[in-house]
Amino acid sequence: MKEGDETGEMGGGALAPWIRPDIQQNIRWRSGDIVVSVPPKSGTTWTMNIVYQLLNGGTADFRDIYEEVPWIEFLPGPDAGIDAVLERIDRMPTDRPRVFKSHSAPSMLPYRDDVRYVVVGRNPEEAVVSFFPFLAKHSEEWNALWGMPPGALTWPDFPTFYAEMIAPGVHRGAFYDFANAWWSYRDRANVLFLHFSEMKADHEGSIRRIADFLGIVPAPDEWARILEYTSFEWMKRHEDKFEAITAGTIPVLTRGAMVRKGEAGAAGQDGMTPELAADLRRAGEDTCEPDVLAWLYGEARRG
């Protein structure tokens, strides 16, 4: 059985040691905070960058998006305590909204009326095939730091990965339980629901929806920069800004982990067979109401 993934889920439902969702329960939240709440491999880093660019009028002057938008479930090393993470969050500037990344949904992620939540869904088939190469990009130095053996996050092929990592139940918590938990909040004024496929189909329109939701009105020159710096092409050319180089005490990932292909509707090209897709879908049907599942798979659109 392999160990660890970006959700924190491991075989049997345990958590990777660097993932501590309980940190979120201890944050001293501020009115106006913004949370990017997205399942793994579903456009999280892209959405983090979109919100950051909107708040800053479009800028390339940042070192690492994870330095600007902290992941509030993540320990930077085995010797780092929760208190150190909370102190860093407390030290963030008070003259602007704080933005956080989370792979959690309520109630693990606290819900507050004075906090805004940008929630993104993605077809689980696409997210799962993106998991496979992503996990292999965890650096061996990072794995060793946490006592994980060499090759702990690699598999010989996608079907083996699916059988050992996904089939035991990761899909339920990471995708289906996530969607179920958020569904009852979807029409609240401080919650914005987006779908990855819609964001890919209408880049500018999606960013304008997020801007409207956050109450941000960029100037024309700022819009030009925002659209450029949130494009897949720009992020791929500057992928060092999106590799979480400041998240850990040593590099967590090797190059190319976060900004990979940026495609929607191409799961079959990356190893998702009809049989595995049917198995994944059955898990969703056993877990979600039909309207929740239709939204998550991109078969239903929100206005």
Side-chain angles (χ1 to χ4, degrees):
M1 185 68 67
K2 298 285 183 173
E3 301 182 45
D5 71 20
E6 190 187 359
T7 72
E9 291 286 350
M10 291 164 41
L15 293 177
W18 53 84
I19 306 296
R20 290 291 301 272
D22 56 312
I23 295 174
Q24 300 166 117
Q25 300 290 336
N26 296 286
I27 291 173
R28 287 188 279 269
W29 296 91
R30 300 175 190 167
S31 180
D33 283 342
I34 302 166
V35 180
V36 173
S37 176
V38 183
K41 311 315 300 174
S42 298
T44 317
T45 304
W46 185 24
T47 309
M48 291 161 61
N49 186 39
I50 290 171
V51 174
Y52 173 74
Q53 295 296 339
L54 284 168
L55 288 171
N56 290 276
T59 178
D61 188 20
F62 63 99
R63 178 173 59 162
D64 174 23
I65 197 65
Y66 280 76
E67 196 169 32
E68 308 297 335
V69 183
W71 184 3
I72 52 176
E73 302 151 296
F74 190 86
L75 289 177
D79 296 328
I82 288 179
D83 286 345
V85 177
L86 294 172
E87 288 170 6
R88 182 209 166 186
I89 292 171
D90 277 344
R91 290 194 303 269
M92 293 178 71
T94 59
D95 61 345
R96 72 197 72 169
R98 298 182 300 182
V99 187
F100 302 119
K101 164 187 171 174
S102 178
H103 284 319
S104 299
S107 60
M108 182 59 71
L109 172 67
Y111 172 83
R112 293 169 50 114
D113 289 332
D114 60 350
V115 172
R116 288 168 290 184
Y117 303 88
V118 180
V119 180
V120 181
R122 188 181 188 183
N123 184 323
E125 295 177 21
E126 298 172 5
V128 166
V129 296
S130 187
F131 249 143
F132 179 42
F134 170 78
L135 294 180
K137 290 287 188 177
H138 282 72
S139 73
E140 290 300 344
E141 294 81 6
W142 176 254
N143 293 339
L145 182 67
W146 289 92
M148 299 177 71
L153 296 180
T154 60
W155 287 261
D157 50 49
F158 180 77
T160 303
F161 162 75
Y162 185 93
E164 294 187 1
M165 188 66 196
I166 302 301
V170 168
H171 43 48
R172 287 179 171 84
F175 306 107
Y176 302 137
D177 290 347
F178 179 96
N180 281 338
W182 269 120
W183 193 249
S184 63
Y185 296 87
R186 67 193 184 279
D187 292 320
R188 300 198 183 189
N190 63 323
V191 177
L192 176 65
F193 260 43
L194 297 166
H195 197 274
F196 183 83
S197 62
E198 294 175 305
M199 294 171 68
K200 292 299 298 182
D202 186 2
H203 176 211
E204 180 173 351
S206 297
I207 295 177
R208 289 187 180 276
R209 282 190 64 192
I210 297 172
D212 290 345
F213 170 70
L214 298 177
I216 298 171
V217 184
D221 61 323
E222 292 176 330
W223 267 121
R225 293 194 299 269
I226 290 165
L227 293 175
E228 177 185 359
Y229 298 151
T230 58
S231 69
F232 175 80
E233 293 76 16
W234 189 89
M235 291 177 64
K236 188 65 177 176
R237 289 199 309 271
H238 300 86
E239 62 186 349
D240 57 305
K241 294 180 179 290
F242 305 100
E243 298 290 346
I245 60 173
T246 64
T249 55
I250 64 172
V252 180
L253 303 166
T254 58
R255 191 171 180 86
M258 289 295 194
V259 185
R260 193 173 71 93
K261 293 174 65 176
E263 294 181 0
Q269 300 173 15
D270 291 328
M272 181 62 69
T273 66
E275 294 76 19
L276 296 180
D279 180 78
L280 189 62
R281 182 76 183 219
R282 280 193 297 271
E285 291 169 348
D286 291 342
T287 309
C288 299
E289 293 296 325
D291 53 351
V292 180
L293 195 65
W295 174 76
L296 190 59
Y297 270 81
E299 298 162 353
R301 298 289 183 258
R302 290 192 52 77

